[in-house]
Amino acid sequence: MRLRVFAALAALSLGALTGCGETTGTSASSPLRIMAPAAPGGGWDQTSRIAEQAIKAADPQRKVEVYNVPGAGGTIGLAQLAGEKGNGNLLMTMGLVMVGAIEQNKSKVTLAETTPIAKLTEEYEIIVVPAASPYKTLDDMVAAWKADPSKVSISGGSAGGTDHIVAGLMAKAAGIDPKQVNYIAHSGGGEALNELLGNKVSAGISGVAEFAEHVKSGKLRALGVTSGERLPDLDAPTLKEAGLDVELANWRGFVAPAGLSDADKKALTDLVTKMHDAQPWKDAVAKNGWIDSFQTGQQFADYLAAEQTRVKAIIAEMGLVS
């Protein structure tokens, strides 16, 4: 009889230990992974790593890991996220760039296969040239561009992304066929920056935060920004001031895998809200000149759906997709 009791207790103990080793759904004891679906050095990577520190500050017990999956405007990372269905410990940083890249790359996986969590920030774009460039103003660049579009190379992020869209809208506003834009796409902001600093391209387009430091140091010259009004602490005209009727803000946010339980979705949303309210996140938003545009739940889901419709129409008009 005693042997049977010991056997039952052993089986019960083993079952309890096995249960303790299993982790399903969102759990504060499990590492939260944040995917930056681009190479290091760009806006998604920067946002992911700032979010990592802000989450750790808001919830010191939470382990957070950022990792990069570069390529194809984030659609390679998107495909990986789709394979993590039901994983409540995974977020992917994304934004306007990915919306365009899905169309540009004819991605089989779309944002319909994700769970929208939160819109985080908006950021205006900046057009820069190397310090040694003959283009002192946007007028100089546009004049050369009109004379021979092929000789003005523009470096930026992924094909079909925000930087590419800005280049196309600028060309259209200047009377240049957007299809003739000599655009050099990269999977991360660091690659575009290296080409500019090495004087290998005529101009570059990216988020203000990615180039602002190098503009202030004199290594790059700002020709214009895509905001409606001049930005503080940045000596650059708006594109409208320079004669090009273009205004556009990039945005970034978080999505999670599809198939989350209501509890997991709420836990992730609550965690990101806690991050947003933490002082390190507020400080980073101010430092980088980002615009706080926080949305969660159905509000963000509706915004995301509207953006997909809007961006698809823009890039189709520009001839970026067939």
Side-chain angles (χ1 to χ4, degrees), residues 219-232:
K219 293 179 181 178
L220 298 175
R221 182 183 304 121
L223 299 187
V225 290
T226 64
S227 54
E229 299 178 353
R230 288 201 177 209
L231 300 177

Side-chain angles (χ1 to χ4, degrees), residues 51-65 275:
E52 174 189 12
Q53 297 306 313
I55 290 173
K56 287 179 177 178
D59 188 352
Q61 302 303 313
R62 190 71 190 237
K63 297 178 181 178
V64 187
E65 173 195 352
M275 174 208 82

Side-chain angles (χ1 to χ4, degrees), residues 96-205:
L96 179 58
V97 171
M98 184 175 288
V99 177
I102 288 170
E103 297 295 331
Q104 174 78 12
N105 297 316
K106 296 180 173 60
S107 174
K108 293 181 180 179
V109 181
T110 71
L111 292 169
E113 296 169 68
T114 69
T115 300
I117 297 298
K119 181 186 176 191
L120 300 173
T121 60
E122 291 182 349
E123 179 184 23
Y124 291 110
E125 297 271 292
I126 186 170
I127 295 84
V128 300
V129 293
S133 171
Y135 308 142
K136 304 300 181 184
T137 65
L138 191 60
D139 285 342
D140 295 338
M141 175 181 157
V142 170
W145 210 7
K146 286 182 175 180
D148 189 347
S150 66
K151 288 188 177 179
V152 177
S153 54
I154 301 175
S155 184
S158 57
T162 314
D163 307 340
H164 197 176
I165 288 173
V166 169
L169 291 176
M170 287 174 61
K172 183 180 178 183
I176 301 166
D177 183 352
K179 296 177 184 177
Q180 293 185 319
V181 174
N182 180 9
Y183 185 79
I184 302 170
H186 299 285
S187 62
E191 296 171 355
L193 177 61
N194 288 337
E195 285 194 335
L196 283 162
L197 296 177
N199 294 291
K200 296 179 180 178
V201 291
S202 305
I205 301 176

Side-chain angles (χ1 to χ4, degrees), residues 284-296:
V285 168
K287 178 182 177 181
N288 288 291
W290 294 341
I291 302 163
D292 187 350
S293 57
F294 194 64
Q295 294 178 347
T296 61

Side-chain angles (χ1 to χ4, degrees), residues 226-302:
T226 64
S227 54
E229 299 178 353
R230 288 201 177 209
L231 300 177
D233 302 322
L234 187 63
D235 185 18
T238 67
L239 294 185
K240 289 187 175 182
E241 279 184 74
L244 299 182
D245 189 13
V246 176
E247 182 178 341
L248 185 74
N250 189 12
W251 60 266
R252 300 188 184 108
F254 281 141
V255 295
L260 296 189
S261 67
D262 290 343
D264 284 349
K265 182 178 178 181
K266 183 180 184 304
L268 278 177
T269 302
D270 288 348
L271 180 64
V272 173
T273 301
K274 195 173 182 181
M275 174 208 82
H276 166 263
D277 294 340
Q279 195 60 44
W281 179 260
K282 294 178 184 295
D283 292 343
V285 168
K287 178 182 177 181
N288 288 291
W290 294 341
I291 302 163
D292 187 350
S293 57
F294 194 64
Q295 294 178 347
T296 61
Q298 193 60 45
Q299 186 181 21
F300 178 47
D302 291 344

Side-chain angles (χ1 to χ4, degrees), residues 34-36 43-53 66 93:
I34 301 176
M35 181 202 301
W44 285 342
D45 180 70
Q46 180 188 36
T47 300
S48 300
R49 296 184 189 282
I50 290 173
E52 174 189 12
Q53 297 306 313
V66 173
T93 306

